[in-house]
């Protein structure tokens, strides 16, 4: 029997390739909002972040690296207000 292919996606922070099910999806909705998509099926342009501690740390947010990476990955410019709101949701979800 043929083995089923596992879809791989790239983490936008560390650039590592991981199975899609192991990643957290971040989506730019048609309404230009940035949301975390736990189902992986929300409509809009999506990108992925792995669950490694180095990628989930608040230090990565503080360095400003995340904002530029998200802007590039989601093909949009992100205002400080939108970024701060996303950051708060992210840290809340990660339990920090």
């Amino acid at each position: 029997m043929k083995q089923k292919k596992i879809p791989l996606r790239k983490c936008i922070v560390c650039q590592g390739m991981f199975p899609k099910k192991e990643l957290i999806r971040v989506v730019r909705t048609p309404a230009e909002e940035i949301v975390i998509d736990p189902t992986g099926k929300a409509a809009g342009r999506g990108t992925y972040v792995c669950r490694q501690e180095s990628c989930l740390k608040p230090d990565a947010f503080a360095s400003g690296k995340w904002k530029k990476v998200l802007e590039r990955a989601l093909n949009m410019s992100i205002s400080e207000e939108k970024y701060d709101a996303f950051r708060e949701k992210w840290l809340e979800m990660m339990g920090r």
Side-chain angles (χ1 to χ4, degrees), residues 32-73:
E32 297 291 319
E33 294 177 29
I34 304 169
V35 295
I36 300 164
D37 177 22
T39 64
K41 297 179 188 228
R45 171 128 179 127
T47 189
Y48 297 88
V49 179
C50 69
R51 296 176 188 269
Q52 291 180 3
E53 191 62 32
S54 60
C55 294
L56 301 178
K57 278 190 214 172
D59 299 342
F61 279 111
S63 70
K65 180 180 180 182
W66 262 72
K67 185 175 181 195
K68 291 202 184 291
V69 171
L70 273 176
E71 285 180 340
R72 231 178 295 128

Side-chain angles (χ1 to χ4, degrees), residues 5-41:
K5 184 178 174 186
I6 299 172
L8 297 176
R9 298 292 184 266
K10 186 184 275 193
C11 171
I12 62 170
V13 179
C14 69
Q15 302 296 310
M17 296 293 284
F18 299 94
K20 186 178 172 182
K21 298 257 183 201
E22 294 178 11
L23 299 170
I24 301 167
R25 185 168 185 244
V26 178
V27 179
R28 178 194 74 201
T29 64
E32 297 291 319
E33 294 177 29
I34 304 169
V35 295
I36 300 164
D37 177 22
T39 64
K41 297 179 188 228

